[in-house]
Amino acid sequence: MGPEGTGSTAWGRWGEEDERGALNLLTPERILASIGSISHGRVFPLGLPVRRDGVPFFERRGATQRLTLYNAQDADQWAESGAPAGAGANADLLISPMHNGTHIDALAHVFDDGKIYNGFASESFTVAGGASRCGIDKVGGIVGRAVLLDIPASQGLRYLEPGTPVTAEMIVQAEKRQESSIGMGDIVLLHTGWMRYFFEETAKGAKVDLAVQPGLGPCGGDLLIDRDVAAVGADNLAVEVMSQQSSFIELHRKMLVQHGITFVEGLNLQDAISAEAKVGMLVIAPLMISGGSGSPVNPLLIV
């Protein structure tokens, strides 16, 4: 069972027209209270570099491309605009799948049994318009208390082996180890060590199988639903575990679709983990992409 009054889903919990899901838990009172989690004033950007290579992405989506529109080689163009010799401008174009790199999933991203979050039809996402319901433009800004859990450290490891599910027991063990507990409306950041593993292996010339990654397992997901969290992020490409044994995006279907819990994927948590950050304020500002299924982000963890 989910939180009180939600039954097996959170549909209708915040009204029949709601499109933000558990982000509604980030009330003004909780946002103000999250200021108390800042003790040092240190800021950790959690985004990966935006580039075409050297970062993990699923090949079926294609690589992110930064292309130059104009630069110093376009001197004739600047002269025609009245620019003096040696003056001009540089500009570029970014082409990127919404779900490459560090990004946030809109609640329209995944559907199950023909429905997205709150029972809206999956057909509400169209070719021309994208998401008419639960798009990333409905999210707004995200500010709240974040709990960063170092799962490998609680198991005496540097990183979890690929395909390892993060269980409810592991989450509780990590909470106890670092004396920081997950509360209602918190944003949970799971450090699995996979991003560290990816960069260490690729630096040695090894090819990393992106189809097998550690991540949140079914019972771990149930625990976070019961804790009534606002969002979950992780240092892998799906938040949830990926392996031959895992069901098709099981936790996306359960947590996003049924409970409206937003996922933030592809986080770079290494600096924050190295600094032994445990709790802080998380700030995320998705791009206002009309009808978007997600958005690139560079979340800021302030501790």
Side-chain angles (χ1 to χ4, degrees):
M1 297 292 287
E4 183 179 353
T6 67
S8 60
T9 80
W11 294 4
R13 181 181 180 187
W14 293 283
E16 294 181 357
E17 296 298 310
D18 177 57
E19 300 179 61
R20 299 186 72 241
L23 293 177
N24 285 293
L25 294 169
L26 298 175
T27 61
E29 294 77 16
R30 288 200 174 96
I31 293 171
L32 283 171
S34 71
I35 297 173
S37 63
I38 300 173
S39 56
H40 301 289
R42 187 172 179 185
V43 179
F44 293 96
L46 305 183
L48 292 169
V50 178
R51 52 187 300 177
R52 66 171 60 93
D53 53 22
V55 292
F57 66 90
F58 294 116
E59 292 186 0
R60 65 178 179 272
R61 292 176 178 156
T64 294
Q65 303 288 335
R66 188 220 57 83
L67 306 174
T68 297
L69 282 177
Y70 45 78
N71 61 6
Q73 296 178 1
D74 298 295
D76 290 346
Q77 176 178 323
W78 309 129
E80 291 174 2
S81 299
N90 299 312
D92 39 20
L93 172 70
L94 181 66
I95 303 173
S96 180
M98 300 295 192
H99 300 273
N100 270 20
T102 306
H103 66 275
I104 184 172
D105 288 348
L107 295 182
H109 177 45
V110 171
F111 56 90
D112 192 27
D113 197 24
K115 303 289 184 182
I116 60 173
Y117 166 71
N118 221 11
F120 299 119
S122 58
E123 290 82 5
S124 59
F125 194 102
T126 65
V127 172
S132 63
R133 290 287 194 171
C134 300
I136 200 65
D137 49 315
K138 307 298 175 58
V139 168
I142 299 173
V143 179
R145 179 179 184 263
V147 179
L148 173 56
L149 295 179
D150 192 348
I151 304 298
S154 70
Q155 307 299 306
L157 303 169
R158 294 181 68 247
Y159 54 77
L160 299 181
E161 290 295 325
T164 302
V166 174
T167 65
E169 182 180 8
M170 288 179 179
I171 292 173
V172 172
Q173 288 171 343
E175 286 180 298
K176 290 179 178 178
R177 174 185 174 273
Q178 59 192 58
E179 299 180 339
S180 54
S181 59
I182 299 166
M184 181 180 182
D186 282 348
I187 302 167
V188 178
L189 304 178
L190 296 175
H191 174 249
T192 69
W194 183 81
M195 202 64 72
R196 177 208 293 266
Y197 169 81
F198 173 85
F199 286 119
E200 288 183 353
E201 291 299 301
T202 54
K204 294 185 291 188
K207 183 174 177 60
V208 175
D209 184 359
L210 301 188
V212 184
Q213 300 179 28
L216 188 62
C219 69
D222 287 342
L223 175 66
L224 297 185
I225 291 170
D226 289 341
R227 296 286 187 91
D228 214 3
V229 302
V232 183
D235 62 339
N236 65 3
L237 299 186
V239 173
E240 64 181 288
V241 65
M242 298 176 62
S243 71
Q244 295 295 327
Q245 291 71 43
S246 54
S247 300
F248 175 73
I249 53 173
E250 178 179 358
L251 288 186
H252 278 73
R253 289 154 56 204
K254 186 168 190 177
M255 298 181 76
L256 266 75
V257 178
Q258 298 299 327
H259 292 275
I261 298 173
T262 294
F263 279 3
V264 187
E265 299 166 344
L267 292 173
N268 183 5
L269 300 174
Q270 197 52 54
D271 287 346
I273 287 294
S274 296
E276 298 184 348
K278 300 173 183 177
V279 296
M281 173 190 280
L282 189 71
V283 179
I284 308 176
L287 300 177
M288 293 290 288
I289 303 167
S290 296
S293 65
S295 171
V297 291
N298 181 25
L300 301 178
L301 178 64
I302 309 168
V303 302

